[in-house]
Amino acid sequence: MCGIVGYIGDAKKTKQILLEGLLRLEYRGYDSSGIAVLNKSVTNIVKAKGKIAELQKKIGKEKLEGQLGIGHTRWATHGIASEVNAHPHTSGTTSVVHNGIIENYVELKSELKQKGFKFISDTDSEILAHLVESGLENGKSFTESARGAFKKVKGACAVVVITEREPEKLIVLRNFSPVVVGLGENENYIASDIPAIIPYTNRIVYLEDGDMAIVEKNEVTITDLNGTEVKREEVLVSSDPASFEKGGFKHFMLKEIYEQPRSALDTLRGKISGDFSSIELAGINTKQLNKIKKIITLGCGTSYHSCLIGKLLIENLSRIPVEVSIASEFRYSNPIIDQDTLVIVVSQSGETADTSEALLEAKRLGAKTLAITNVFNSKIARESDQVIYTRAGTEIGVASTKAFTTQLLVFYILSNILGKAKGRISEEDISSNVKSLVGVPLLIEKILKLDDQIKALAQKYNNFNNFIFLGRGLNFPIALEGALKLKEISYIHAEGYAAGEMKHGPIALVDENVPVLFIAPKNGANFTKIIGNLREIKARNGLVIFLTTEKGADEYKEYIDDLIEIPNCDYNISPIATIVPLQLFAYHIARIKGTDIDQPRNLAKVVTVE
Ligand code: F6R
């Protein structure tokens, strides 16, 4: 959701750092963008509707030099996508960029209107500019004015503010919305996301909720909202610059699909013993896990789908009962939790507001918490008692791919650990499961070889307006995930169902215009049942694409219009395998349709509002 970048230092570099930073953050939001550059004590602002390319076009050859600046790429919450609603917002001498939502904006707006401030946008963010300017007009310093404003607003916020009256500093607020300070020599940086500034510095200071940072060229001072100085450690972060390049692929999504063998290997590294005989999770307190009587897994979107699979794996291997919750529902569902409950929160970004709020609620109710996340030191990682990192590498494409398969790997590893802790599985079982796990990178590589076949299928099916995805057991969540991938990047209506549920209603939708995609590995416990469902669809003239393992379709070819055959694999691993062709299918259909695959309409990579 929205991206923020800020810079103070060399006047000649400001424009370039802001624009490059915004380009790297574009995946966070892309309906409009803008920058404000402070040159001595004059602010120059350029804003544009649409992508950063539009902003670049508008800036053209303009020099836009200045000792400091702020930039923003927006995902609309209050007010439509338009130039006037784009950030930075201004009031007199003050300019501001903001991520998040100001919950008490109606009352603050009417207060400010009474004081004579004129609002030109429909955004809640403009309030911040007027609040700071109001303090400055009353003779307060910039720091006092910013602090006063920040104290008044309620809701999740990351804010950067500048003023012509004190043109040698930027002031930053973090309140439940991520923002970091990057340290340089005679220059400093601000970003909502590290990728924006990683080419310039890897010296990062993570702000905590309630922190206000005063960022000058040679100094960064961090205080709480009462003005008391607080110390935050500098952290050296490592990041692979190749993650931010497409590396010869047309889209990040395709690159990330193809990175899955590597991200699987990286995720396994350090979690499997050197002799491949056992599974270990460094830093995870297995004694504590041993006491767990109930587990709740929760997440949003794709991460929620991995939670659904996580439940089945954990219950199978450890017999600990698991409930699954959509993170945005969990918080308001009056969940039953005690100190023997483990809540596992799953989030690629580690910043999703619905998930982090659910995590806080779980902690408040006394649960033990464990995060599965892809982003080091993210909010969710920091708030959880224990963390297991997926090692997918930075995921840029808005449609999650490699993060999902690595989450599934972690769930499988964790299930084995829990199974062992509960005495439900033997060392032999574990070492056979390890064999399956270490085979995953090669398995995915083999499946990627089907790419041309899937591309041809996309040619055949791209004109259909509705799709149904069906699976059972571990592959029912894959039906949901396959349908989600198709919806979000190709804008085609698709539904995922448990195959057995079709006959209870949705089968009424089936005719020759609705392709039905079955996900049915042959060794699935319900394989014969799914063949029954296949016959039911064919009896209603449905078009069938059948995704199965080797020879899985041999006896049923008469019911199948198109077959996708993947190598045989352990059933517990099968969701990691079956999702790959579906990612490719969605990708190729979207490509034919010419949609914006890496930045699909209406979406943002990191959703930091509830
Ligand atoms: C879909 C997708 C989203 C995210 C969801 C949660 O492709 O990417 O559904 O999975 O917004 O995001 P994280 O995992 O960052 O919490």
Side-chain angles (χ1 to χ4, degrees):
M1 210 102 309
C2 305
I4 284 180
V5 59
Y7 172 74
I8 181 163
D10 181 346
K12 290 204 170 57
K13 284 162 65 181
T14 305
K15 176 179 99 174
Q16 180 211 342
I17 286 169
L18 295 180
L19 284 175
E20 284 182 1
L22 288 182
L23 277 170
R24 276 193 205 87
L25 287 183
E26 197 170 31
Y27 65 99
R28 289 192 64 124
Y30 32 84
D31 65 40
S32 58
S33 61
I35 60 173
V37 176
L38 198 46
N39 190 4
K40 301 199 175 89
S41 54
V42 176
T43 315
N44 289 304
I45 297 191
V46 188
K47 307 204 250 186
K49 184 177 168 200
K51 299 224 170 170
I52 312 294
E54 300 304 317
L55 182 68
Q56 284 174 313
K57 250 190 247 161
K58 217 165 157 193
I59 292 172
K61 294 207 164 59
E62 241 186 281
K63 263 189 167 172
L64 268 185
E65 285 184 357
Q67 71 278 13
L68 63 84
I70 49 179
H72 188 268
T73 177
R74 178 170 187 252
W75 187 85
T77 52
H78 283 68
I80 57 162
S82 67
E83 199 171 308
V84 77
N85 286 336
H87 300 218
H89 291 287
T90 51
S91 176
T93 63
T94 302
S95 302
V96 68
V97 288
H98 163 232
N99 284 354
I101 287 184
I102 299 173
E103 284 164 8
N104 54 338
Y105 91 107
V106 176
E107 56 202 82
L108 289 175
K109 190 169 178 175
S110 86
E111 249 176 59
L112 286 160
K113 273 183 163 173
Q114 272 167 20
K115 284 188 186 163
F117 286 97
K118 298 231 165 1
F119 282 78
I120 60 161
S121 76
D122 302 320
T123 67
D124 52 346
S125 312
E126 193 183 342
I127 279 168
L128 283 156
H130 294 311
L131 282 175
V132 176
E133 186 65 13
S134 156
L136 290 165
E137 281 178 5
N138 288 334
K140 291 189 185 153
S141 70
F142 181 25
T143 307
E144 286 167 334
S145 306
R147 186 173 295 125
F150 296 162
K151 275 180 158 175
K152 281 196 165 166
V153 293
K154 293 202 179 105
C157 278
V159 182
V160 189
V161 59
I162 57 175
T163 176
E164 293 170 356
R165 298 185 204 222
E166 293 186 35
E168 69 299 327
K169 59 175 75 119
L170 305 104
I171 300 190
V172 188
L173 167 73
R174 176 187 165 127
N175 207 24
F176 300 106
S177 219
V179 62
V180 299
V181 177
L183 305 177
E185 292 296 322
N186 287 326
E187 56 188 1
N188 286 310
Y189 305 82
I190 295 157
S192 53
D193 246 26
I194 293 169
I197 54 175
I198 200 72
Y200 315 112
T201 182
N202 65 345
R203 297 170 54 206
I204 300 295
V205 177
Y206 290 90
L207 300 182
E208 304 271 332
D209 292 330
D211 283 358
M212 177 170 131
I214 299 144
V215 181
E216 295 170 87
K217 195 171 161 178
N218 290 308
E219 197 171 358
V220 176
T221 314
I222 305 172
T223 69
D224 63 18
L225 283 183
N226 295 319
T228 309
E229 203 164 326
V230 291
K231 285 265 163 285
R232 302 287 174 232
E233 293 304 316
E234 171 186 332
V235 177
L236 287 184
V237 299
S238 63
S239 187
D240 173 12
S243 298
F244 307 105
E245 309 294 334
K246 289 194 193 130
F249 287 90
K250 179 100 180 115
H251 295 97
F252 279 110
M253 181 181 177
L254 189 61
K255 176 181 171 240
E256 288 161 4
I257 291 173
Y258 269 83
E259 276 172 353
Q260 289 177 109
R262 167 74 196 271
S263 56
L265 192 65
D266 289 345
T267 300
L268 289 175
R269 220 168 252 152
K271 298 183 179 91
I272 304 279
S273 67
D275 62 355
F276 290 170
S277 66
S278 66
I279 293 176
E280 49 206 35
L281 277 175
I284 294 297
N285 182 342
T286 36
K287 275 206 191 99
Q288 196 184 63
L289 293 181
N290 195 20
K291 296 200 190 98
I292 297 304
K293 299 217 170 68
K294 169 180 149 180
I295 292 177
I296 301 176
T297 60
L298 59 86
C300 304
T302 292
S303 294
Y304 167 69
H305 296 155
S306 79
C307 289
L308 291 169
I309 294 170
K311 167 193 163 74
L312 297 174
L313 291 174
I314 294 171
E315 287 187 340
N316 272 343
L317 270 68
S318 74
R319 307 309 296 155
I320 303 173
V322 184
E323 289 169 17
V324 190
S325 195
I326 294 173
S328 56
E329 291 294 321
F330 175 82
R331 190 176 170 201
Y332 306 99
S333 65
N334 197 9
I336 300 169
I337 278 179
D338 61 25
Q339 72 278 12
D340 296 330
T341 308
L342 174 69
V343 173
I344 303 178
V345 291
V346 183
S347 172
Q348 185 284 129
S349 61
E351 302 286 350
T352 300
D354 287 323
T355 313
S356 67
E357 286 301 325
L359 167 63
L360 294 183
E361 177 67 2
K363 281 174 76 170
R364 196 184 65 76
L365 294 169
K368 307 266 180 318
T369 56
L370 169 67
I372 299 176
T373 182
N374 195 36
V375 179
F376 173 71
N377 223 357
S378 55
K379 184 177 169 111
I380 286 172
R382 284 182 289 148
E383 290 286 354
S384 300
D385 299 332
Q386 310 197 54
V387 188
I388 308 175
Y389 285 107
T390 50
R391 304 275 176 196
T394 309
E395 194 178 64
I396 305 271
V398 163
S400 188
T401 52
K402 59 179 183 169
F404 179 66
T405 42
T406 55
Q407 286 166 359
L408 297 185
L409 272 180
V410 167
F411 264 125
Y412 191 42
I413 291 169
L414 186 62
S415 312
N416 276 278
I417 298 224
L418 290 166
K420 192 176 163 195
K422 289 282 177 194
R424 293 286 181 172
I425 47 172
S426 63
E427 291 294 343
E428 292 77 57
D429 290 336
I430 291 187
S431 76
S432 133
N433 294 344
V434 167
K435 281 202 187 88
S436 303
L437 277 167
V438 295
V440 165
L442 188 61
L443 176 66
I444 302 178
E445 236 159 57
K446 286 185 184 157
I447 295 170
L448 289 170
K449 297 218 162 73
L450 300 175
D451 196 6
D452 283 342
Q453 186 207 339
I454 312 264
K455 204 190 255 175
L457 279 184
Q459 282 293 350
K460 178 170 170 188
Y461 286 96
N462 75 85
N463 279 323
F464 288 89
N465 295 323
N466 298 287
F467 278 79
I468 292 174
F469 288 69
L470 297 180
R472 280 176 175 256
L474 284 170
N475 284 284
F476 161 48
I478 294 302
L480 299 176
E481 176 62 8
L484 176 62
K485 290 286 93 91
L486 193 61
K487 279 186 265 209
E488 67 183 330
I489 60 167
S490 65
Y491 316 147
I492 293 176
H493 173 239
E495 298 286 349
Y497 282 105
E501 188 63 11
M502 276 303 279
K503 56 189 176 297
H504 299 289
I507 201 161
L509 295 170
V510 171
D511 63 18
E512 64 283 3
N513 296 315
V514 184
V516 180
L517 204 155
F518 280 89
I519 304 130
K522 195 173 178 210
N523 55 2
N526 286 319
F527 186 72
T528 50
K529 294 279 186 268
I530 215 165
I531 294 301
N533 304 137
L534 166 68
R535 289 198 176 103
E536 289 154 15
I537 298 293
K538 212 57 206 165
R540 278 138 191 107
N541 292 325
L543 268 172
V544 171
I545 308 171
F546 200 72
L547 166 52
T548 186
T549 42
E550 273 161 42
K551 302 193 186 309
D554 278 6
E555 293 160 45
Y556 314 104
K557 292 216 163 116
E558 63 195 289
Y559 307 110
I560 294 169
D561 295 281
D562 285 288
L563 175 66
I564 305 172
E565 205 179 75
I566 61 169
N568 287 326
C569 59
D570 173 356
Y571 179 62
N572 285 332
I573 294 288
S574 69
I576 303 175
T578 52
I579 191 56
V580 178
L582 305 187
Q583 294 167 343
L584 287 168
F585 187 62
Y587 173 79
H588 288 301
I589 289 197
R591 181 114 183 235
I592 295 163
K593 291 196 152 307
T595 60
D596 194 343
I597 293 179
D598 283 334
Q599 294 167 355
R601 70 183 182 203
N602 304 340
L603 297 177
K605 182 72 183 162
V606 188
V607 185
T608 49
V609 292
E610 276 185 82

